[in-house]
Amino acid sequence: MTREENDLVTRVGPGTPMGTLMRQYWVPALLSSELPKPDCDPVRVMLLGEKLIAFRDSLGRVGLIQNHCPHRGASLFFGRNGDCGIRCVYHGWQFDIHGNCIDMPNEPNESDFKRKVKALAYPCVERGGLVWAYLGPRAELPPLPDIEVNQLPEGECAIVPTMLECNWLQAVEGEIDTSHSGFLHFGSIQPDDVAEGTFLHYTVKDRAPRYSVVDTDYGVMYGAYRPARPGYTYWRIAQFMFPFFTQTPEGILGHHVITNAWVPMDDYHTMAFIMIRKDPREQAWPGRHPIQGNADKYPTVQTPVLPNTSEWFGRFVSAVNATNDYGLDRARQRNGTDYSGIPYLPAQDRAMQESMGSIYDRTQEHLAVSDVMVIRVRRRLLAAARALAERQVVPPGVDCPAVYRNRSGSIILPEGADWIQATKELRQAFTDHPEVLLQQP
């Protein structure tokens, strides 16, 4: 990748090619629970390089408005939220969720100046515990993507937000790189440590998967495959969906429901929203059986989170971070308990992605066969950004919500089977396949 391409694909501020592409889509901005009730405290939100203020008005509607008051530039974060609008405490100017100035109390009663002033505000929609915002140019808004996990009944979806101190693409590329699991997460686990016939057993028995990668209407899909029991192949099937969604292959294909959103806050910070269907029939990481005789080798899934602050980058910060080397324990690394020495699975990923720097210089890379999915996703992103900038071609999925009706997961197939045809039904969202819980380990 050239330096020009690296800048094009990573920079998301207003006016940049990738930032313009991102603004064609609805993007998750914050949790609904961050604005718990009407007229509650406003929240600072950094989104696609813009400083914005989120508030819930007296009718329960969510607004996302520019940080600076259009009058003299004071921050609306300090505003009084009530009477169906946020009121700047500097001079009392009040704005509704649409950015209309609805009161200008320091002006004469006969003045109609408030009708000539409007704040920049973005449309918001709540669905599945997330507040989605549209920062694009369309007057007629595009549809929200049909992401299955974001449309589950209340209480059936868990959302885990985490802020990463790195560029959004580093986070995405970490998710679509499947071979690292056999090292970073499970490098200390040997085949004899785990039940034979399980997904994890096949992962650690052969740490160099082969790949089949295909372009899709929504992005890119890969199948990473390894030998399983005689006559069968173990497949890990995962998705990249424009502009920054991934679906990981951890669960049983046809049953596991997960989508991860890697939302750029700015060029150097990412807000991850991990959305997963709750299911008591599955373990914390489906398809993996407990390690026999040495549970310490199994990385902890949940990491502690610091209390939120009101700072621009103060939301959902992990307590296991760069300031404490992500909990690195050299003794555990040396004695083989942890391959990385970092006991928390999500922190293992963040340590790798954040240690690359805020934006990694990809001109320094030496990509290999195992990076085929990373290479393909970059090409799709670059092509889509250029097509929009040069020919006004609408990016994939913007007007086609149904293309997001996908699932990912792991499956064991007969050797030589056409993995795309054999998994077509199982990859369809909004369907039930209870039989897969019996057929797969």
Side-chain angles (χ1 to χ4, degrees):
M1 177 174 280
T2 67
R3 196 172 303 278
E4 178 186 5
E5 290 173 330
N6 193 47
D7 285 343
L8 190 156
V9 80
T10 57
R11 305 286 181 175
V12 297
T16 63
M18 189 55 62
T20 301
L21 181 144
M22 294 278 186
R23 285 164 176 79
Q24 304 301 305
Y25 299 86
W26 285 92
V27 297
L30 69 162
L31 300 182
S32 293
S33 59
E34 294 184 72
L35 300 171
K37 60 183 180 180
D39 298 332
C40 61
D41 295 343
V43 175
R44 287 188 176 107
V45 175
M46 181 74 76
L47 190 61
L48 301 184
E50 296 188 46
K51 291 182 175 180
L52 304 168
I53 305 299
F55 67 100
R56 191 181 294 278
D57 73 5
S58 307
L59 300 178
R61 302 173 299 179
V62 175
L64 194 63
I65 198 167
Q66 66 184 65
N67 174 49
H68 297 293
C69 177
H71 180 207
R72 296 270 298 281
S75 175
L76 290 173
F77 171 76
F78 300 103
R80 298 169 61 93
N81 187 17
D83 299 324
C84 280
I86 189 166
R87 187 182 296 274
C88 181
V89 295
Y90 201 2
H91 299 95
W93 290 22
Q94 186 182 30
F95 300 89
D96 66 14
I97 64 168
H98 306 294
N100 300 312
C101 185
I102 56 177
D103 194 20
M104 199 175 280
N106 70 330
E107 288 294 293
N109 290 334
E110 63 273 16
S111 172
D112 67 347
F113 187 49
K114 69 179 181 182
R115 296 183 177 86
K116 302 177 183 179
V117 176
K118 191 177 179 72
L120 177 64
Y122 294 115
C124 293
V125 174
E126 293 184 82
R127 191 172 77 180
L130 279 178
V131 175
W132 295 73
Y134 179 70
L135 279 63
R138 292 190 182 186
E140 184 175 343
L141 304 179
L144 268 70
D146 281 354
I147 294 174
E148 179 181 16
V149 72
N150 190 231
Q151 300 187 57
L152 294 173
E154 185 175 357
E156 290 190 17
C157 173
I159 304 176
V160 181
T162 306
M163 192 193 74
L164 288 77
E165 296 190 61
C166 66
N167 183 260
W168 70 279
L169 190 57
Q170 282 160 229
V172 166
E173 291 178 349
E175 279 288 285
I176 59 177
D177 167 11
T178 191
S179 69
H180 82 269
S181 295
F183 298 92
L184 179 65
H185 301 319
F186 305 112
S188 292
I189 300 172
Q190 300 305 315
D192 291 342
D193 293 332
V194 66
E196 188 171 350
T198 62
F199 294 160
L200 182 54
H201 175 81
Y202 298 130
T203 296
V204 299
K205 188 176 180 180
D206 183 347
R207 302 180 196 266
R210 275 65 69 193
Y211 299 87
S212 177
V213 177
V214 294
D215 290 342
T216 65
D217 293 341
Y218 51 82
V220 186
M221 176 174 65
Y222 77 74
Y225 57 98
R226 300 171 168 92
R229 61 185 182 270
Y232 289 86
T233 302
Y234 167 44
W235 288 87
R236 287 166 57 86
I237 298 169
Q239 314 280 3
F240 165 77
M241 304 186 298
F242 273 88
F244 44 56
F245 299 105
T246 60
Q247 293 181 327
T248 55
E250 304 302 333
I252 299 172
L253 183 65
H255 178 74
H256 194 53
V257 180
I258 186 171
T259 298
N260 304 330
W262 307 95
V263 183
M265 301 175 75
D266 62 4
D267 291 344
Y268 314 111
H269 300 81
T270 302
M271 185 62 72
F273 295 103
I274 311 302
M275 299 172 280
I276 185 169
R277 181 171 67 178
K278 299 177 182 178
D279 193 329
R281 294 173 294 180
E282 289 190 331
Q283 302 173 40
W285 289 94
R288 294 181 179 146
H289 290 206
I291 296 170
Q292 300 167 348
N294 195 347
D296 285 345
K297 288 187 178 181
Y298 193 80
T300 303
V301 174
Q302 296 295 333
T303 57
V305 178
L306 298 174
N308 279 5
T309 72
S310 60
E311 298 173 316
W312 290 110
F313 303 108
R315 299 163 50 230
F316 306 112
V317 177
S318 174
V320 183
N321 54 52
T323 65
N324 50 39
D325 293 324
Y326 306 92
L328 175 63
D329 187 329
R330 291 294 187 186
R332 291 172 64 91
Q333 189 185 65
R334 280 192 292 269
N335 66 27
T337 301
D338 291 320
Y339 187 81
S340 68
I342 299 171
Y344 297 97
L345 191 148
Q348 293 168 357
D349 286 320
R350 283 190 293 104
M352 300 302 101
Q353 294 153 11
E354 294 180 0
S355 68
M356 297 176 184
S358 298
I359 299 181
Y360 182 63
D361 179 3
R362 290 172 174 78
T363 65
Q364 304 301 307
E365 288 179 325
H366 296 81
L367 299 182
V369 172
S370 58
D371 300 306
V372 61
M373 179 66 172
V374 170
I375 294 168
R376 186 72 65 88
V377 168
R378 290 181 188 175
R379 288 176 179 171
R380 292 293 316 265
L381 286 166
L382 287 167
R386 287 167 173 156
L388 176 63
E390 297 168 5
R391 306 191 305 278
Q392 291 74 54
V393 177
V394 177
V398 169
D399 293 315
C400 305
V403 301
Y404 291 90
R405 297 174 182 173
N406 305 302
R407 286 182 182 170
S408 61
S410 295
I411 189 171
I412 296 174
L413 296 174
E415 188 175 350
D418 183 331
W419 70 278
I420 296 177
Q421 288 301 315
T423 64
K424 182 177 180 181
E425 295 301 321
L426 296 177
R427 288 185 282 107
Q428 296 299 310
F430 303 103
T431 58
D432 291 321
H433 296 281
E435 73 279 2
V436 299
L437 292 176
L438 300 176
Q439 295 172 355
Q440 301 296 322

